[in-house]
Amino acid sequence: MADKQPPRTKKYYRSTKSGAGMTSAGVKKYRRDNPGSKLKTAVTGKVKAGSKDAKRRKSYCARSAGQMKKFPKAARNPNSRLRQARRRWKCR
């Protein structure tokens, strides 16, 4: 059984200009629809090195770097959802 994604509306997903990804409302809806889910919003602030949030950021950045290889067209476009999300997460 696949997880139920919230509908792709302004309320649940950020626009590409505002950094792509899900909004807090979208995450709440997803967690309501999928009990037991541990989905969280992006780590966007300053974090202490080695903290849980720093590890989440490092993990996301590593995963999304794989997406950059898989989708070179999106990787080249600075306005793609992938690049905007990586910028929001502060991936280098």
Side-chain angles (χ1 to χ4, degrees), residues 39-90:
L39 186 69
K40 296 179 181 178
T41 55
V43 176
T44 56
K46 272 196 160 187
V47 292
K48 200 175 195 178
S51 66
K52 271 190 178 181
D53 280 345
K55 289 175 185 175
R56 274 188 67 225
R57 175 179 287 160
K58 187 175 180 182
S59 177
Y60 171 80
C61 292
R63 286 195 315 274
S64 61
Q67 293 293 303
M68 298 269 281
K69 287 180 184 174
K70 192 171 182 180
F71 300 103
K73 191 174 175 185
R76 282 192 301 269
N77 177 4
N79 297 319
S80 68
R81 290 188 73 78
L82 174 61
R83 289 279 298 275
Q84 293 293 333
R86 283 179 57 85
R87 184 174 296 142
R88 185 159 185 269
W89 276 79
K90 296 185 173 97

Side-chain angles (χ1 to χ4, degrees), residues 10-67:
K10 189 175 178 182
K11 181 178 179 182
Y12 299 132
Y13 287 91
R14 283 177 199 290
S15 67
T16 305
K17 279 185 179 177
S18 66
M22 279 182 139
T23 62
S24 54
V27 171
K28 285 177 188 167
K29 170 110 173 90
Y30 181 87
R31 291 182 70 164
R32 241 188 342 266
D33 294 347
N34 299 281
S37 169
K38 295 180 181 174
L39 186 69
K40 296 179 181 178
T41 55
V43 176
T44 56
K46 272 196 160 187
V47 292
K48 200 175 195 178
S51 66
K52 271 190 178 181
D53 280 345
K55 289 175 185 175
R56 274 188 67 225
R57 175 179 287 160
K58 187 175 180 182
S59 177
Y60 171 80
C61 292
R63 286 195 315 274
S64 61
Q67 293 293 303

